[in-house]
Structure formats: C-alpha cells, structure tokens
Amino acid sequence: MAPTALLSVSNKHGVVPLAEALHRLHGYQLLSSGGTAKVLEEAGLPVTRVADHTGAPEILGGRVKTLHPRIHGGILARRGDPVHEADLLEQKIDPIDVVVVNLYPFRETVADPDVSWNTAIENIDIGGPTMVRSAAKNHAHVAVLTSPEQYDGFLQSLSRSAGGVDANVRRQLALEAFAHTAAYDVAISRWMQARPELQPAVDASSSVEAKAPAEALPWLEALPLRQTLRYGENPHQKAAWFSSSVGWGGAKQLQGKELSTNNLLDLEAALATVREFGYGSEGLHRAEQPAAVVVKHTNPCGVAVGDGVATALTRALDGDRISAFGGIVALNGVVDGLAAKELTSLFLECVVAPGFSPEAREILAAKGNLRLLELAPEAIDAAAKDHVRSILGGVLVQDLDDQPIDPSAWTVASQRQPTTAEYADLRFAWQLVRHVRSNAILVARDGQSLGVGAGQMNRVGSARLALEAAGEQALGAVLASDGFFPFDDTVRLAASHGIKAVIHPGGSLRDADSIKVCDELGLAMVLTGRRHFLH
C-alpha cells in the first residue's frame, strides 16, 4: 500500500512543491481538505478530499472537517500492533504516514486592535491542533510538519533514507509540533486575558466562579521543563531550565556535575563569542580558524586564535590565567589530546565544543567534575534567533546582535592609516568587544586578547582596567570600545600605555576631540558606525 500524506494548511506557502515531491518522487497518496485541496487540484495533483475519505461532509460552517475516526485512527494507529491493525482492518481505515498542518492565523487576526470577539473566536483552530497532537504523539510512525520552513529539510531527509523518514527526524518534528500547539494555546489564553471588555457578560446567577489566571509567565508554557536546577544565581533562589531539544537543549553532556544557572549563562556568553570565528568543521558556520574563549561572569577574560585548537586555548588562557580559574571554556573545533592536557592545567567549570576526540575524553575523564558539553552546529542553527529577557511582569524580545562584522563600512578618521597588522588586530578586537558588558573596552594584538574592561559606569574606568590587565603587552596593541568616546580622555590614556590604534562606533558630538588627539599622538582611529552595547 502506498503511504499517505494528509495536507491541511492555513498558510499555503510551499505546500504545492511539497505535495508534488511527496507524490511524484516518493509515491505518496494525497489527502486534503477545503482550500488546501483546491490549491493542490488546481496544480494538477491527484487529491482525495477528506469528506470523500471519511464519507462525512464538512459541517457547522467548516468547524468540523477532520474530526473523524477515519482521520485520527489513521494517524494514531501503531504499526505492527495486532490490536490496532485489527481495528484498522475492521473499520476499513488506511494509515496516514505524514501530517502537514499549520493552524488558523489566530495571532495575526488578534493583532488588529479592532477585531471583534466573534471573529477572534472563529480563528481558534480545533481540528488542526488535534491532528498535530495526534501525529506528534504517534511520531514513532508518523511525521508531522507544522511550518513551511520545515518542508525542504524534511524532503532532504526523506530522500536520504530508503526506509522512510528517520526516527530522529520524526522525534524532532514532534517536539516542534508540541511546542507549536502550546504556543498557540498560550496566545489564545493571553489574548482572552488581555481583552476582557470584549467577552460576553457573565451571568451573575452562574454557579461557576471566575478565577484569575495562574501567576506564571505564560510564554514559558511553550517550552518543556528540561531540568529543575539546584538553585539560581545564588543558593536562596529557586531555578528551572525550560528548553526545546535545540540550542543548549541539544547539547550532550559527556561528563561532570549537573549544569547550574550560572554555568548556562556563562556557556551562552562563551559560545556567542567563539562563534565569531565560525563553529564546527562543516556547514554554513564552518570555523574560519581555531579559536578559544574563556568566560568568567558572562564576560570573556581570554580569547585567542591559533594554528590549532590547543594553541588557541593556550593563548586564550595566557590572556588572563588568574581570571580563567573557575571559568567556562568554549572552543570552535574538536578537542584533541593536546587541548585536553591544557584543559587539565587549571580548575575549570565547563567546556563546550563541537566534539571531543577519544584521546581527549580519556584525558579529561580524570577531571570527573568538569562538565563537558558536545554541541553540534546543527543544534545551534535550529535554535530561535531572538534574544529574550524577563523584566517585572513581562519579557523583552530583540534580535540577537550576531550580524557579521562588515569592515567595508568602516572609515578611518585619523590622518594615519592603520597598518595591515593593526587593521587585522582592530577587526579581531571589534569581533570580541560586543561580547563584553558595557561600558566595554578590549585590548588585543596578534589574535589574542590582552586586557578586558567590563561593566563600568564610565568608559575611561573600563579602559584603565583593560590597560592595566594588558600591562607591558599594551605596547603596540590596539583598543576597541563598544560605544563612542564622549571625551578624549580614553584616547589619551590608551596612548600613554603604548596603544597604536583604536576602533569605536563614532557618533559623539565631541568625536573631533578624540580624532585630534589621535593625530597629535600618532594613533590610527577607525570608526565602525555601529555600536554594540551589551547590558
């Protein structure tokens, strides 16, 4: 029997190419309803309508279309289960192998502040979430697609596997499906909570008492609880980790104690920094060159590149070995034996990398409490690209500050042009300074950070910290600032320590003062036109 794909989508984008590939390349029968069936028929594809398949017409103005045993029996049946197989045979139900469903556009509908209560209610999908949840529950046998963004990857997976869709792919799709329906329900409940003036009046004689929503952050409901943490940033704070199976949820912990809140915060900062140089050996984000990052309290205290992972690691640790004690390390390539020996040279909390060699695993096993995390580039790429932070009673959502550095947009403001070596150092420093808490100053040379000043209330204070940490190594180095120089004091201080070139966004009303000092003292100054505050 040919496999069957059920397609019933509100967002029709990409559904025709998907259906064509399923039918013509992989031999699927197509089952569809309503507008989706019409679109596929107009594309010349053979489609069986749901009403013809079930023998039951759409009723209640389309409110009931797919809520039928021939649909849900086909989705939920376990293949190879004698009881299920017998029921399918007796009821003449064919199995459904792929479910392609996205839901009524409720969120888009209620984005209109003038939307009526009845219009919003009619855009609450019932049959769609039911099919999605049924298929996700039975992911051992059924693949469920809930977004056009999944179509290409799904077809590639289907083409690679002669025996149908890979089990790991089905499981990942199921997880995304449950997250999808959870977020959908959260959107509905949040809208109903926020718009009480639209709700029909409650009969005062009703015996049902209206209750306030639970005191919780609704957006958390869209993510499954991964782990209850021992405590938060401090022992008196309770904490929990909610995560899907992508991003850090897709990391494999190879050894060590359970991750803590602070571990995860530091790991996030370390990973974001090391990805400036690419990550892994394949794919879109292939490592440009081996790089290592050491983070302490979410700030990089040592960053370096090298001709190998071990060399980069040694140089990163040498950037500030005092601060590196008890730190978090991120590497963008596979950890080999040499790098593993370097990792055992001091106390560290966590190490994250795309892989660890067998020799490295054996060496690092001696450090039983050291947390080793293997995080594949694919898990990073699949994670959401929003930066979400909580505030009292709500959340802030912004784009990640992860756009590639674009030196072609920079301008040289000083009379002296940077040398080729200085320009390379300036680029390196600028890649790093956006990962330092504002006000941020970073001193670097030859692909190695030498001093970091973070989180100070004035920029010259950060500069003092960075230059003092660099010491004599500041002679001939460069300095990067995440924001402009409001006064010329930071430039004068940098010059007094031997800094030869500086880079900052520019844009201060007093830029001319800093540029004049550079010209007087022979420094090169580059303006990027983009700031990188990190709070």
Side-chain angles (χ1 to χ4, degrees), residues 102-117:
N102 52 61
L103 311 179
Y104 291 173
F106 178 82
R107 278 168 284 201
E108 293 80 358
T109 300
V110 299
D112 179 0
D114 298 322
V115 67
S116 70
W117 177 266

Side-chain angles (χ1 to χ4, degrees), residues 69-92:
R70 287 183 64 81
I71 297 297
H72 289 278
I75 296 173
L76 283 164
R78 289 194 296 263
R79 279 51 160 177
D81 184 314
V83 175
H84 286 208
E85 297 283 1
D87 284 344
L88 292 181
L89 184 63
E90 182 179 352
Q91 300 298 325
K92 297 182 175 58

Side-chain angles (χ1 to χ4, degrees), residues 248 251-252 254 267 271 274 279-280 291 309 329-336 343 350-357 371-377 380:
W248 289 111
K252 296 178 182 177
L254 304 178
L267 282 165
L271 180 69
V274 84
Y279 186 84
V309 170
V329 171
L331 302 149
N332 68 349
V334 174
V335 178
D336 56 18
L343 289 169
C350 306
V351 180
V352 61
F356 295 80
S357 73
R371 302 164 181 89
L372 300 185
L373 288 97
E374 187 174 86
L375 182 60
I380 299 172

Side-chain angles (χ1 to χ4, degrees), residues 242-419:
F242 294 81
S243 179
S244 68
S245 64
V246 298
W248 289 111
K252 296 178 182 177
Q253 185 168 348
L254 304 178
Q255 71 172 50
K257 297 183 293 185
E258 285 189 355
L259 291 167
S260 71
T261 300
N262 292 334
N263 290 159
L264 288 163
L265 292 172
D266 285 337
L267 282 165
E268 177 76 0
L271 180 69
T273 309
V274 84
R275 288 180 65 208
E276 289 286 345
F277 307 97
Y279 186 84
S281 59
E282 298 177 353
L284 294 175
H285 305 292
R286 180 171 180 167
E288 301 167 7
Q289 61 186 134
V293 173
V294 187
V295 158
K296 199 72 172 290
H297 302 300
T298 72
N299 281 301
C301 59
V303 185
V305 295
D307 57 8
V309 170
T311 303
L313 175 61
T314 299
R315 299 186 77 220
L317 293 171
D318 286 344
D320 187 349
R321 284 191 174 262
I322 294 175
S323 297
F325 183 84
I328 306 289
V329 171
L331 302 149
N332 68 349
V334 174
V335 178
D336 56 18
L338 287 175
K341 289 178 182 177
E342 185 64 77
L343 289 169
T344 62
S345 67
L346 76 167
F347 169 65
L348 297 169
E349 289 279 359
C350 306
V351 180
V352 61
F356 295 80
S357 73
E359 181 186 7
R361 290 287 306 277
E362 184 177 352
I363 293 170
L364 294 170
K367 293 271 189 177
N369 288 332
L370 176 62
R371 302 164 181 89
L372 300 185
L373 288 97
E374 187 174 86
L375 182 60
E378 294 78 15
I380 299 172
D381 295 340
K385 304 306 178 188
D386 294 324
H387 181 212
V388 182
R389 299 176 69 177
S390 66
I391 58 173
L392 189 64
V395 295
L396 298 174
V397 182
Q398 64 177 353
D399 295 335
L400 287 173
D401 186 12
D402 64 350
Q403 297 85 0
I405 298 296
D406 182 16
S408 66
W410 298 353
T411 58
V412 178
S414 58
Q415 294 177 5
R416 185 173 79 78
Q417 296 285 320
T419 66

